[in-house]
Amino acid sequence: MAAPLSSMGVVPDLRSGPARKPELAVCMIAHITAVKMPTLHRHAEEKFFVSAEGRKEPVPSIHDPPTKELSVVVPSYNEEDRLPLMMDEALDYLEKRQKRDPSFTYEVIVVDDGSKDQTTEVAMKYCEKYGSDKVRVLSLVKNRGKGGAVRMGVLSSRGKKILMADADGATKFADIEKVEEGLKNLQPWPNQMAISCGSRAHMEKDSIAKRSYFRTLLMYGFHFLVWFLCVKKIRDTQCGFKLLTREAALRTFSTLHVERWAFDVELLYIAQHLRIPIAEVAVNWTEIEGSKLVPFWSWLQMGRDLLFIRLRYMTGAWQLETRKCN
C-alpha cells in the first residue's frame, strides 16, 4: 500500500485557529465521506461477453499477458444513434491498417453502461459482422458512470496499448497515429508506463466564439480548478481520446476512485504522482450533438470532485494502491 500524498511532500496546513477552521472542516468532510476504493466486483452477468455465435465467453483480464497490439475501449450510455458512425469510422481504419500490416492486431470493446435504449443490440451487429475476436460488447448490469465504464473495459482488455475513444466519434479516429507518435516520443518508458492524451486546446479560441458567455466562464473556471488542484501541465484533461501502455493502464485504472465525468483528472493526477510520462497531442475534434453533459450541474459536480480528489489524497483517505477485479 502506498503512503498518503502528505508523505510525498504534499502537506495540508491544518494549524488551529479561527482562520483555519473552514479549511479544517472541509478536509474533515472530504476525509470522512471518502469511499476508500470503489468496488471492482463484477456482477455474474459481467464476467462473460456474448460471442458472435451466441456463446458466453469469459472476460479476459488486464493482469494476463497481452495478445493484441491494440485495444479500443468505447464507453457507451444510450448511444444507439451516435455509436454507428463512430464504429464505422474506427473499424474501417483498423481493417485497412491490418491489411497493410498483417502483424497489427486489434479489438474494440464497447462497454454498454446500463443503457436504456438499444446500444447493446447496435454494438452486437458489429460483433456479428467482424467476429467476437475483434469486436466485443460488455454490458454492465447498472450504470457506473463514464469513468466506471471505461475502467471495466480497460480491465477486460487484451492489448499492449489501450485507447479510450468516445462513442460520439468527435475525434477523428485516424488521429490515433498522432497519439501513437506522442507515446513513442516518450520512450524509454519507465517500467513500461506512458500515456498520450489527445487535446483540443489548440481549438480553444474557435470554441469560445461559438459558446455563450456563461459556458465560457464555466469552462475557464473548470480549467483553473484542474490546474490549481490537480494537474498542472496538461491543458485539456477532458478529451476522451487517450492512449496508454498496458502497464500504465493497469496502475492507474486499478487505483481510480472517481467513476463520473472527472475521472480523467484523477487518472492524470495518479499518473503524475506515479511519475508516468504524459504527452499531450493536438487532434481533430468536432462537436457532436447529443452530449450527456448537463452544462451547469455536470460542471458543478466535476468541481466538487476535483476538490475531493486533492483533499482525499492529501489527507490519506485515498491512497495509490493497485487492486485486482473479481
Side-chain angles (χ1 to χ4, degrees), residues 1 34-41 151 251-259 266 270 313 317-324:
M1 181 180 294
V35 175
K36 290 296 181 182
M37 298 297 274
T39 178
L40 289 184
H41 173 72
R151 181 173 60 185
R251 286 301 308 275
T252 54
F253 276 97
S254 61
T255 303
L256 200 71
H257 298 77
V258 176
E259 295 192 302
E266 189 192 1
I270 293 167
Y313 278 112
W318 288 354
Q319 298 186 8
L320 302 178
E321 55 184 292
T322 301
R323 300 159 297 153
K324 195 166 184 177

Side-chain angles (χ1 to χ4, degrees), residues 4-254:
L5 297 187
S6 56
S7 67
M8 300 180 189
V10 184
V11 182
D13 183 1
L14 300 180
R15 290 171 294 179
S16 61
R20 306 305 305 173
K21 286 182 179 179
E23 291 90 336
L24 179 60
V26 172
C27 286
M28 288 180 64
I29 291 169
H31 188 92
I32 293 169
T33 60
V35 175
K36 290 296 181 182
M37 298 297 274
T39 178
L40 289 184
H41 173 72
R42 294 182 189 269
H43 294 277
E45 298 92 328
E46 297 170 353
K47 294 182 179 180
F48 302 90
F49 69 90
V50 179
S51 71
E53 296 77 27
R55 296 191 305 270
K56 281 189 174 182
E57 303 283 352
V59 170
S61 170
I62 195 171
H63 294 274
D64 299 332
T67 57
K68 300 288 182 185
E69 288 297 316
L70 176 70
S71 293
V72 181
V73 176
V74 187
S76 306
Y77 178 67
N78 292 341
E79 293 288 3
E80 63 179 6
D81 294 327
R82 301 197 298 178
L83 185 61
L85 291 174
M86 181 272 169
M87 292 291 284
D88 288 340
E89 181 186 358
L91 288 162
D92 179 66
Y93 169 86
L94 293 167
E95 285 291 293
K96 287 179 178 176
R97 181 165 170 174
Q98 191 172 62
K99 286 181 181 178
R100 294 195 306 268
D101 178 11
S103 67
F104 173 74
T105 54
Y106 74 87
E107 65 174 350
V108 178
I109 304 171
V110 178
V111 185
D112 182 351
D113 190 22
S115 296
K116 299 175 182 177
D117 65 0
Q118 301 296 305
T119 295
T120 287
E121 288 77 7
V122 169
M124 282 301 298
K125 290 180 181 178
Y126 291 92
C127 177
E128 293 164 2
K129 179 177 179 181
Y130 292 92
S132 51
D133 188 51
K134 290 184 175 180
V135 179
R136 295 183 167 183
V137 183
L138 179 59
S139 298
L140 304 185
V141 171
K142 63 178 183 178
N143 179 266
R144 293 177 183 248
K146 184 180 178 182
V150 172
R151 181 173 60 185
M152 293 302 283
V154 166
L155 298 181
S156 306
S157 64
R158 298 175 288 165
K160 293 179 182 177
K161 297 171 187 166
I162 300 169
L163 177 74
M164 298 159 40
D166 287 344
D168 60 4
T171 304
K172 185 178 179 182
F173 194 83
D175 280 0
I176 185 177
E177 295 177 11
K178 295 180 179 179
V179 290
E180 284 179 317
E181 185 66 21
L183 203 66
K184 182 180 178 182
N185 290 338
L186 294 172
Q187 290 180 322
W189 303 327
N191 299 314
Q192 292 301 303
M193 294 193 293
I195 300 173
S196 182
C197 302
S199 175
R200 304 158 296 180
H202 62 293
M203 304 171 65
E204 192 170 283
K205 289 183 180 179
D206 290 337
S207 67
I208 289 172
K210 297 175 184 176
R211 283 194 177 104
S212 68
Y213 176 78
F214 180 65
R215 289 193 68 180
T216 299
L217 189 65
L218 286 175
M219 180 191 72
Y220 275 122
F222 179 76
H223 287 175
F224 172 76
L225 286 176
V226 169
W227 174 85
F228 184 71
L229 295 172
C230 299
V231 180
K232 300 290 186 186
K233 297 181 180 180
I234 304 299
R235 293 177 63 197
D236 181 9
T237 59
Q238 300 309 109
C239 181
F241 206 71
K242 294 181 175 69
L243 184 68
L244 302 89
T245 63
R246 189 174 183 83
E247 285 72 18
L250 171 61
R251 286 301 308 275
T252 54
F253 276 97
S254 61

